[in-house]
Amino acid sequence: KNQVEQSPQSLIILEGKNCTLQCNYTVSPFSNLRWYKQDTGRGPVSLTIMTFSENTKSNGRYTATLDADTKQSSLHITASQLSDSASYICVVSAGGSYIPTFGRGTSLIVHP
Amino acid sequence: GAVVSQHPSWVICKSGTSVKIECRSLDFQATTMFWYRQFPKQSLMLMATSNEGSKATYEQGVEKDKFLINHASLTLSTLTVTSAHPEDSSFYICSAPPGTRQETQYFGPGTRLLVL
């Protein structure tokens, strides 16, 4: 069964600090992994997308890494801002399927 | 990037009424659209796959007579919650992959439904 596990479930940090969110998956065969940011009451917005051959991808202060061997990904947020407060969702797609597997998300709160 | 819109953004209705939610792809055609439901502090749960020109495919446990889906054109899919009840109150989100790139999806902003 395809599964995506995210940790931590929630995280509180101070503005300006860095943080790293984790995603472990058992989706097979692996096609791509995406990180989304979802603000409260909004639809998810794509941050990064990585395929099997990509190890890292950046989008501004967001850097995602992928280890396809261990089936792990991380999302690193640098110099956090108050606007980074949101839910971050890891989504993994299997090859040949357009129905992805969603993680439960990590709720990030950035305090001033 | 590709844009997907939803209308309305929120709706409050009485129990027993039907509510229609629209999902539009604004700058691309989508032969397939997806409808999700999200409860507070939960992840998105796929309800059904909307296919232009054919019947929708529903996930296990989702009542097709309760959640009517119509994919009328390559840019519009509608979800109608029939005879809504308070337990149907949720955040409904659609997504669409542009063109043949099925593994890339763009999400709508969501519709919050509150059934009184």
Side-chain angles (χ1 to χ4, degrees):
Chain A
K1 179 181 179 182
N2 291 336
Q3 287 187 315
V4 176
E5 300 288 339
Q6 289 188 244
S7 63
Q9 185 176 2
S10 61
L11 182 63
I12 301 174
I13 61 174
L14 292 176
E15 185 179 13
K17 297 296 185 181
N18 303 336
C19 67
T20 301
L21 314 180
Q22 300 291 341
C23 173
N24 297 337
Y25 61 92
T26 58
V27 176
S28 181
F30 175 83
S31 176
N32 64 70
L33 184 146
R34 287 163 281 161
W35 283 94
Y36 286 90
K37 178 187 179 187
Q38 185 179 21
D39 293 311
T40 301
R42 302 280 189 174
V45 174
S46 179
L47 294 176
T48 63
I49 178 171
M50 290 184 292
T51 58
F52 184 86
S53 60
E54 297 174 295
N55 300 119
T56 184
K57 183 164 284 188
S58 294
N59 178 1
R61 294 180 297 102
Y62 301 102
T63 300
T65 65
L66 173 65
D67 186 334
D69 291 330
T70 61
K71 298 186 178 181
Q72 295 179 327
S73 176
S74 66
L75 179 68
H76 186 76
I77 303 175
T78 304
S80 61
Q81 300 177 357
L82 298 179
S83 59
D84 293 332
S85 296
S87 179
Y88 291 84
I89 305 172
C90 176
V91 182
V92 185
S93 292
S97 171
Y98 51 71
I99 300 177
T101 302
F102 288 81
R104 288 186 173 272
T106 292
S107 176
L108 174 66
I109 298 175
V110 180
H111 275 308
Chain B
V3 178
V4 175
S5 70
Q6 282 185 239
H7 177 80
S9 56
W10 59 270
V11 58
I12 302 174
C13 69
K14 293 183 178 180
S15 183
T17 60
S18 294
V19 176
K20 179 185 286 188
I21 302 170
E22 293 184 349
C23 176
R24 293 181 184 273
S25 56
L26 298 184
D27 54 359
F28 65 96
Q29 295 182 332
T31 57
T32 304
M33 290 184 176
F34 303 94
W35 286 97
Y36 300 85
R37 182 166 53 184
Q38 185 177 35
F39 293 106
K41 300 187 184 301
Q42 298 290 320
S43 187
L44 281 73
M45 183 181 70
L46 180 65
M47 299 175 64
T49 303
S50 173
N51 304 297
E52 190 270 336
S54 63
K55 292 182 179 180
T57 304
Y58 291 83
E59 295 301 300
Q60 189 174 7
V62 179
E63 301 174 57
K64 61 181 180 181
D65 295 329
K66 172 77 172 176
F67 300 99
L68 299 180
I69 291 175
N70 181 28
H71 200 135
S73 72
L74 288 172
T75 59
L76 173 64
S77 174
T78 60
L79 168 68
T80 301
V81 183
T82 62
S83 186
H85 288 95
E87 57 265 30
D88 297 324
S89 298
S90 187
F91 192 51
Y92 292 87
I93 304 175
C94 71
S95 74
T100 58
R101 292 184 292 155
Q102 297 283 16
E103 294 169 346
T104 299
Q105 296 205 39
Y106 297 96
F107 287 86
T111 297
R112 185 162 300 283
L113 170 63
L114 177 60
V115 184
L116 302 177

